[in-house]
Amino acid sequence: MEVKTSYKIDSYKKINTIFALLILFIFFYSYLSPLINIGLRSSCEGLPEAYCKSRGLTRAFSQILRFNFKEAIFLNTYSIKIFLFFLVQLLFRITINAVIKLSNFNLVRNFDVVFSFAYFIFSFYNLILI
């Protein structure tokens, strides 16, 4: 049974590592996006904000990474809350990989699922609701 649980922990750590790398890529892309502007247009251009609440998120993330919070809020009013979701998830993934053990695997996994789901709803409810 311990071997089976050890396999689950290893798989869980791999998934956490993949999520952490994905979030780091999002931050890296957002930071560099002004420099690599290739002229792509958003599908939100010209639509009212009520139909396109995610407009300007990449540009806002870029401004947040440069500590220009006023510009980020101007580009998208929900940007700081959404950015904090990704930042907290990144830190959470790193912490979980560091502290998880055989004895507390189920507790950590269950807490992770509940916390991440609740925090996702809190962070993204403005974008989800019409």
Side-chain angles (χ1 to χ4, degrees):
M1 176 126 158
E2 193 168 307
V3 172
K4 195 175 189 180
T5 305
S6 176
Y7 177 74
K8 287 181 181 179
I9 290 174
D10 290 341
S11 298
Y12 195 66
K13 284 184 172 187
K14 287 178 186 175
I15 290 171
N16 276 335
T17 302
I18 291 169
F19 281 147
L21 290 172
L22 184 62
I23 293 168
L24 284 172
F25 174 77
I26 290 169
F27 289 166
F28 184 70
Y29 172 77
S30 295
Y31 185 79
L32 292 179
S33 64
L35 304 174
I36 58 174
N37 187 3
I38 56 175
L40 295 177
R41 293 282 184 215
S42 170
S43 60
C44 291
E45 299 230 6
L47 294 175
E49 186 178 335
Y51 296 115
C52 224
K53 296 177 183 177
S54 65
R55 179 185 316 164
L57 270 178
T58 303
R59 290 174 287 177
F61 275 26
S62 179
Q63 294 302 317
I64 292 168
L65 290 167
R66 289 172 170 76
F67 301 104
N68 190 354
F69 301 111
K70 287 182 181 181
E71 181 68 19
I73 292 170
F74 174 75
L75 291 167
N76 188 303
T77 56
Y78 313 116
S79 61
I80 293 183
K81 191 189 308 186
I82 294 169
F83 181 86
L84 284 176
F85 170 80
F86 287 111
L87 181 61
V88 167
Q89 285 297 309
L90 174 64
L91 298 174
F92 200 52
R93 301 296 128 218
I94 293 168
T95 303
I96 284 176
N97 277 359
V99 301
I100 198 164
K101 297 176 185 154
L102 286 174
S103 60
N104 65 2
F105 174 68
N106 287 332
L107 178 67
V108 170
R109 184 195 59 212
N110 293 340
F111 177 77
D112 181 17
V113 169
V114 170
F115 172 77
S116 294
F117 179 75
Y119 195 46
F120 175 84
I121 296 299
F122 172 76
S123 299
F124 286 88
Y125 77 91
N126 291 352
L127 298 179
I128 297 169
L129 297 176
I130 297 177

